[in-house]
Amino acid sequence: MKDTPLSNCERDFLLKAIEEKKRLDGRQTYDYRKIKITFGTDYGCCFVDLGQTRVMAQVSCELVAPKESRPNEGIMFFNLELSPMASPAFEQGRQSELSVKLNRQLERCLRNSKCIDTESLCVVSGEKVWQIRVDVHTLNNDGNLMDAASVAAISALCHFRRPDVGIQGEEVTVYSPEERDPIPLSIYHMPISVSFAFFQQGTYLLVDPCEREERVMDGLLMIAMNKHREICSIQSSGGIMLLKEQVMRCSKIASVKVSEITELINKALLNDKTARKAGGRCGFAESMPQERITALKMDQTSVEMKDVSETVSSIVQTAEAPPQTVPSPLVPVPGVGHIGEGLRNTWGLEEEEEEEEEEEEEDDGESSGGDSVAEVTKMEKEQHKDDKSRKVDVVEILDSDEEEEEVVILYPETTKKAKNTGTGQKGAATSRKQQKK
Amino acid sequence: MFSIVKERVGQILLPGDEFCCGPQDTLPLTDSGRPERLVAGPGLRRSGDRLLVSRSGVLRHKEPNKFWIESQQRRYVPAKGETVIGIVTAKSGDVFKVDYGGSEQASLSYLAFEGATKRNRPNVQVGDLVFAQFVVANKDMEPELVCIDGSGRANGMGVFGAAGLLIKVSLGLVRRLLVPHSDLRADLEQLFPCELVVGMNGRIWVRAASVQQTLILANLLQSCDTMTAPQRQQLFRRIQLGALQD
């Protein structure tokens, strides 16, 4: 299925807005969107939210025979999949150009930079080594998949624990996680990629482009760095000519951003570690992420299962409180269209509108074919609750019941970002960040 | 059945809920003898002697006997007579192919513009925005759009969009905007002068005096979808104060 085409007026508007240094969501030129890092139940599972872009990385390991040329080094395998979930433009199974490009960039960023000590992955030289496999899945595409993927991959690698191995003479025993604690990988440094989008032949640049900005950009520069200011890889695509000063400037910006992101990753890892030490596992309820608990209406069930009721009530107690309900929830929107019947909409206030249509012929093109009452909905309770809980999340991190999810937010969301003037917003964001620290 | 349906008006119903003809529906002998007809609208379906709910939402009623379910969604299904904002994707032969956000593209003929003849073709390029209405919209045929009304006049439809921003919102917000005396429109009018084109496929085109104001409007519309009226008015008031400070 094809993606929605970009209209000419959108393109013109975006370019004009960029010339005036304004972005669609009110960010500054060098601002990142809100980054949220959460870890899953298993070791090595990491979700990263970069604004609306969402990716998941999972690390797994296996004992295999090493390569002939390198008998005492482990093997790293990277795979990035563009799932059709992420965007209607991605097709299942087909290797598109973007997919090849992202895979290649992820490999260069993580493998060639030697961020993982592969020699420590060797078990028996020449015979058995660990193969570490990193799978990154894109869940939602709102621009800048590369940055989100690199953050997810390196966080998952830092979070991962491999089984312990004991060697006695000729015998090799692999201990399961219950027998001996699994051990983390040895990671030298954390390379993180930062993307810069260029417009108007390199005149304007933006950090962390969102999906619409990516569509109108001329070229993209991706710099992968670590916090010690070492560049791991640079890639420029789109065929734009960049000046030396521009590249130097971008690398300076990248080093600032990378150190912030690295700190965020470390904080998230630390939170996860303390939470795991504090509480044990409680099975089923723990593996359900917070946003997705929806079934809280227990009073109307007609199923009679006496022994299940205790577990059910315990799950309900540990789950989050049901969202607040407005006294009279009202939903807008009449029935939308008669599917396949091709009839005129005849519901609602049609009779009055027909008279009004003859009287007033509005020139701005607004039609009065709608037929609804002007009432606002609370049907989107989940989303509303999510928004609310996100604002409160910063306070609740260490007190939450859910052990497997540690949420660290870089820039708290504001509902009206475009309202504030540019400097005001940036000042507010940094002051909020300092408060959290 | 009329009475039991009527008493649930305003409640939230889920697919699978049903209304059966019960013993209370027998007519008493003293009545005039005229059965009440119940007209089932979108979201309600008749199956035998039961009325089934096929969509989740709030039950609404309009005198004398119309009932329907109001639900919230973002995916647009074309219906005849609705005006939508489409993006021209291709020119082929005598028709334009227009994307309106549905499962397939609609076709818009060259001649379906005001004052267009075979020699005098409309000035429409690929990537332009058009405001058009459906003349054919059912599940068996390719949807067709036109930019003129029954009498041959444009009536506000046609190509547009010199400078402005196109945003995507839910269908509920669009209907709320288009209602004759809409609160939302009244609030918007008080903010600053702007131009709005509202398509029933969930697309809105906004233009205001400056880029900053246009961006503010676009963000406002996208965020006030899930707000109650008092919250929305509070937000608008904050913007107004902010605008005065600028």
Side-chain angles (χ1 to χ4, degrees), chain A residues 24-313:
Chain A
L24 278 185
D25 47 4
R27 287 185 278 158
Q28 287 285 69
T29 332
Y30 301 148
D31 275 355
Y32 254 83
R33 287 170 281 183
K34 183 179 89 162
I35 303 183
K36 194 165 97 161
I37 303 178
T38 53
F39 294 101
T41 329
D42 299 329
Y43 280 118
C45 175
C46 171
F47 287 86
V48 168
D49 284 282
L50 180 61
Q52 295 284 346
T53 302
R54 195 168 157 92
V55 302
M56 180 194 106
Q58 174 73 53
V59 180
S60 52
C61 66
E62 195 187 350
L63 274 177
V64 295
K67 294 200 180 124
E68 303 287 329
S69 52
R70 300 194 191 267
N72 53 355
E73 280 186 15
I75 304 176
M76 300 276 306
F77 181 71
F78 299 96
N79 181 33
L80 190 145
E81 284 194 13
L82 296 180
S83 146
M85 246 198 298
S87 157
F90 297 157
E91 284 175 20
Q92 177 74 305
R94 216 163 63 101
Q95 270 249 329
S96 67
E97 202 182 296
L98 178 67
S99 149
V100 169
K101 184 171 122 174
L102 290 176
N103 265 302
R104 190 75 199 100
Q105 179 65 5
L106 189 67
E107 273 194 30
R108 276 173 41 191
C109 174
L110 291 175
R111 192 205 299 268
N112 297 3
S113 62
K114 308 226 187 302
C115 59
I116 308 250
D117 180 13
T118 42
E119 290 194 357
S120 68
L121 298 174
C122 177
V123 176
V124 177
S125 174
E127 285 174 42
K128 287 283 180 206
V129 297
W130 285 112
Q131 175 182 312
I132 305 288
R133 186 194 163 101
V134 181
D135 285 292
V136 181
H137 298 268
T138 54
L139 302 175
N140 193 30
N141 178 24
D142 194 28
N144 206 5
L145 281 172
M146 187 60 228
D147 288 6
S150 79
V151 172
I154 198 63
S155 308
L157 282 168
C158 293
H159 189 244
F160 180 63
R161 307 270 182 273
R162 65 169 172 84
D164 199 0
V165 169
I167 304 183
Q168 257 139 12
E170 286 299 322
E171 278 202 12
V172 175
T173 15
V174 178
Y175 297 106
S176 68
E178 288 87 30
E179 296 169 16
R180 277 209 208 165
D181 279 342
I183 47 183
L185 301 173
S186 72
I187 298 180
Y188 291 139
H189 60 96
M190 302 212 282
I192 295 181
S193 115
V194 177
S195 298
F196 299 86
F198 286 93
F199 302 86
Q200 313 279 41
Q201 268 78 46
T203 328
Y204 303 98
L205 89 80
L206 291 180
V207 173
D208 187 21
C210 70
E211 209 237 333
R212 292 222 238 182
E213 289 164 355
E214 270 190 354
R215 287 216 205 174
V216 297
M217 71 181 174
D218 283 338
L220 188 72
L221 177 70
M222 282 193 260
I223 300 184
M225 276 175 96
N226 62 23
K227 71 171 187 210
H228 308 293
R229 308 189 56 145
E230 295 164 344
I231 292 188
C232 306
S233 94
I234 287 193
Q235 174 174 336
S236 156
S237 59
I240 39 160
M241 315 283 229
L242 290 175
L243 301 171
K244 189 175 65 174
E245 296 85 37
Q246 281 176 318
V247 179
M248 294 301 297
R249 194 158 46 106
C250 288
S251 60
K252 289 198 183 75
I253 299 168
S255 69
V256 170
K257 294 295 165 193
V258 162
S259 55
E260 286 170 7
I261 297 177
T262 314
E263 214 177 288
L264 178 68
I265 297 179
N266 286 332
K267 222 183 334 182
L269 284 165
L270 189 63
N271 281 342
D272 177 74
K273 200 160 92 165
T274 44
R276 273 177 205 263
K277 258 195 229 166
R281 307 296 172 85
C282 48
F284 163 82
E286 191 209 4
S287 60
M288 288 233 284
Q290 227 171 11
E291 293 97 69
R292 286 178 229 149
I293 294 182
T294 52
L296 293 174
K297 288 204 142 263
M298 285 294 168
D299 41 357
Q300 300 235 347
T301 179
S302 58
V303 178
E304 285 229 18
M305 291 166 71
K306 291 200 180 68
D307 37 4
V308 177
S309 59
E310 282 97 13
T311 40
V312 156
S313 52

Side-chain angles (χ1 to χ4, degrees), chain A residues 331 333 345 348 351 365 372 376, chain B residues 62 70-71 82 131 172 179 227:
Chain A
V331 181
V333 177
N345 272 337
E351 288 88 10
S372 171
V376 184
Chain B
K62 185 170 178 223
E70 263 186 19
S71 57
E82 290 192 345
F131 190 64
V179 136
M227 291 189 191

Side-chain angles (χ1 to χ4, degrees), chain A residues 4-5 7-9 13 22 24 212 331-334 336 342 345 347-348 351 365-367 371-373 376 380 418, chain B residues 42 55 58 60 62 70-72 82-83 89 126-128 131 137 161 166 172 175 178-179 185 203 212 219 227:
Chain A
T4 332
S7 55
N8 296 342
C9 92
F13 183 85
K22 300 219 185 306
L24 278 185
R212 292 222 238 182
V331 181
V333 177
V336 174
N345 272 337
W347 306 107
E351 288 88 10
E366 282 191 45
S367 98
D371 50 341
S372 171
V373 281
V376 184
E380 312 275 353
Chain B
R55 214 178 267 180
V58 178
R60 296 267 182 235
K62 185 170 178 223
E70 263 186 19
S71 57
Q72 176 79 293
E82 290 192 345
T83 45
T89 51
V126 172
D128 279 350
F131 190 64
L166 184 73
R175 287 176 189 260
L178 290 177
V179 136
R185 266 217 319 262
R203 291 186 183 163
Q212 172 76 341
N219 278 314
M227 291 189 191

Side-chain angles (χ1 to χ4, degrees), chain B residues 121-149:
Chain B
R121 295 197 152 187
N123 184 15
V124 176
Q125 309 302 324
V126 172
D128 279 350
L129 292 177
V130 288
F131 190 64
Q133 71 179 355
F134 279 107
V135 288
V136 170
N138 53 36
K139 65 179 190 241
D140 305 311
M141 293 166 58
E142 185 194 23
E144 285 178 27
L145 291 166
V146 289
C147 282
I148 50 175
D149 63 6

